[in-house]
């Protein structure tokens, strides 16, 4: 193991392997309930694990936090089994055969275990090795990946199992938790460029679904800017060209953690929030270099480092400006280098269209979100979560149309990522998979074998609203 620490400066060379790049058009699925478990998606397995269900998720064992708190001695082993079985090589093969080119991977901050305050926070340990293994399988299949900070520290929205901790105590929007999120970002950026298994990662998403009312998210605009700065700082250290920026520190080492430490302590290019996040990522990356067997962390000139193949910056990914209201910050203002924007649209939760087939199709066929975002600089836009669920009893005939119409609408932007790749099929789950599982929808024929195609390209023709000049 000690040989990992050797620092010989080697000439960088290029390897022939799948490299990260944003697809021309995204046809994707979420890997939900894998590394951030949501009990509603696998009710039988959750009950067998020892979890509970309740109307208000903070009232029972209905999140990873509550589970780890209730079962501190067995949680790691139980979740290790879940991580090993929920997303497998067979799933990767099915997604590859279905033409899926992108996955969005929901992650909690606790996957970087040193960020967790074990005195007050409770989460399973060991997920990072499963992420590494899963990314390797995806890379081998030619499927690109987005690392989605689905559950940032402190909880970003109340009473949601997808935050990892069902609670009304929302504390993400604080200096302490913004800092932890930036350390997480520095760590994931470094892994994406240095670990060969992360070689198909092309984007990192700052935070999933913040509170919609911008009055309740103080400091979020500054966090967006610091998030981008952290990514670009890591990339500049690696010698990856960043538009309009050059590093003001002379580095004489190929040990990435040494270079990171030197930059954090001497650069004038970045603010204190950014440099402190870089410094705090150093011991984490040293530990992960050994734990995950990543020699490129200690010698980034080794040809195995993914960044040698493309020399391209990652895409900094945000929920779009129109996700929030009450004068939100615009993530486009944070842009340095490539950036992408994410919008989520679920008709089943109400507030979008009247609950009947004609209203749904009229709404989706006249959707203007791509155009509205572009007018504010939030482009390219993709739809990172959507599904087939409705507020009414949908017939199979309608779901064929509903799948087509949504795919057409979202493909006006950069593309789409369905929620979810699968859900549990069990007596407890009932018919959940019919409208929430991409793979089940594919079996039932709602989705075309080729995700770029639709059954009826004219599905929207009767519903288009034309306006006279």
């Amino acid at each position: 193991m000690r040989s990992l620490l050797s620092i010989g400066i080697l000439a960088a060379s290029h390897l022939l392997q799948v490299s990260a790049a944003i697809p021309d058009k995204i046809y994707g699925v979420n890997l939900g309930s894998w590394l951030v478990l949501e009990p509603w998606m696998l009710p039988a397995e959750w009950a067998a694990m020892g979890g509970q269900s309740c109307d208000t998720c903070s009232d029972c064992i209905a999140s990873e936090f509550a589970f780890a708190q209730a079962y501190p001695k067995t949680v790691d082993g139980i979740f290790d089994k879940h991580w090993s079985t929920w997303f497998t090589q067979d799933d990767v093969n099915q997604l590859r055969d279905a033409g899926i080119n992108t996955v969005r991977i929901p992650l909690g901050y606790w996957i970087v275990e040193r960020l967790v305050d074990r005195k007050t926070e409770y989460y399973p340990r060991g997920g990072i090795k499963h992420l590494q293994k899963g990314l390797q399988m995806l890379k081998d299949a030619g499927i690109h990946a987005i690392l989605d900070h689905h559950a940032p520290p402190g909880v970003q929205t109340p009473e949601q199992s997808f935050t990892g901790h069902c609670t009304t105590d929302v504390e993400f929007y604080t200096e302490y938790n913004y800092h932890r999120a930036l350390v997480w970002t520095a760590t994931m950026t470094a892994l994406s460029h240095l670990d060969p298994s992360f070689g198909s990662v092309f984007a990192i998403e700052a935070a999933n679904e913040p509170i919609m009312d911008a009055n309740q998210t103080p400091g979020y605009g500054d966090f967006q800017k610091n998030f981008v700065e952290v990514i670009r700082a890591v990339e500049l250290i690696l010698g990856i060209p960043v538009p309009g920026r050059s590093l003001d520190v002379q580095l004489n080492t190929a040990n990435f953690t040494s270079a990171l430490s030197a930059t954090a302590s001497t650069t004038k290019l970045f603010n204190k929030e950014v440099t402190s996040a870089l410094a705090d990522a150093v011991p984490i990356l040293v530990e992960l270099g050994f734990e995950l067997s990543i020699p490129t962390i200690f010698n980034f000139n080794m040809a195995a480092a993914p960044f040698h193949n493309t020399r391209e910056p990652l895409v900094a990914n945000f929920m779009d400006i129109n996700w929030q209201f009450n004068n939100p910050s615009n993530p486009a203002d944070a842009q340095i280098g490539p950036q992408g924007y994410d919008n989520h649209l679920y008709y089943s939760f109400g507030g979008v269209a009247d609950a009947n087939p004609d209203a749904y199709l009229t709404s989706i066929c006249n959707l203007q979100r791509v155009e509205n975002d572009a007018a504010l600089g939030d482009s390219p836009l993709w739809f990172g979560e959507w599904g087939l669920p409705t507020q009414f009893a949908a017939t199979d005939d309608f779901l064929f149309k509903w799948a087509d119409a949504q795919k057409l609408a979202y493909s006006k932007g950069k593309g789409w990522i369905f929620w979810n790749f699968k859900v549990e099929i069990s007596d407890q789950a009932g018919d959940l998979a019919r409208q929430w599982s991409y793979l089940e929808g594919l079996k039932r024929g709602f989705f075309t074998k080729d995700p770029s195609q639709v059954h009826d390209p004219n599905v929207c023709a009767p519903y288009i609203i034309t306006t006279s000049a």
Side-chain angles (χ1 to χ4, degrees), residues 297-324:
I297 285 179
F298 305 105
N299 184 353
F300 62 75
N301 279 333
M302 294 178 69
F307 78 92
H308 288 309
N309 297 313
T310 62
R311 309 289 293 186
E312 291 184 1
L314 294 170
V315 175
N317 185 202
F318 296 97
M319 299 294 298
D320 63 326
I321 183 175
N322 286 312
W323 176 257
Q324 292 189 293

Side-chain angles (χ1 to χ4, degrees), residues 241-324:
V242 174
R245 294 292 181 97
S246 58
L247 197 62
D248 60 346
V249 177
Q250 184 69 37
L251 299 175
N252 298 305
T253 177
N255 182 317
F256 178 72
T257 56
S258 297
L260 192 62
S261 182
T263 301
S265 63
T266 59
T267 184
K268 305 298 182 185
L269 188 61
F270 304 104
N271 66 41
K272 184 178 179 181
E273 288 300 315
V274 173
T275 57
S276 64
L278 299 178
D280 286 350
V282 170
I284 293 171
L285 287 165
V286 170
E287 185 175 273
L288 290 175
F290 287 112
E291 180 184 353
L292 301 179
S293 300
I294 311 173
T296 46
I297 285 179
F298 305 105
N299 184 353
F300 62 75
N301 279 333
M302 294 178 69
F307 78 92
H308 288 309
N309 297 313
T310 62
R311 309 289 293 186
E312 291 184 1
L314 294 170
V315 175
N317 185 202
F318 296 97
M319 299 294 298
D320 63 326
I321 183 175
N322 286 312
W323 176 257
Q324 292 189 293

Side-chain angles (χ1 to χ4, degrees), residues 21-32:
I22 186 169
D24 292 336
K25 189 73 69 174
I26 292 172
Y27 304 113
V29 294
N30 283 273
L31 301 187

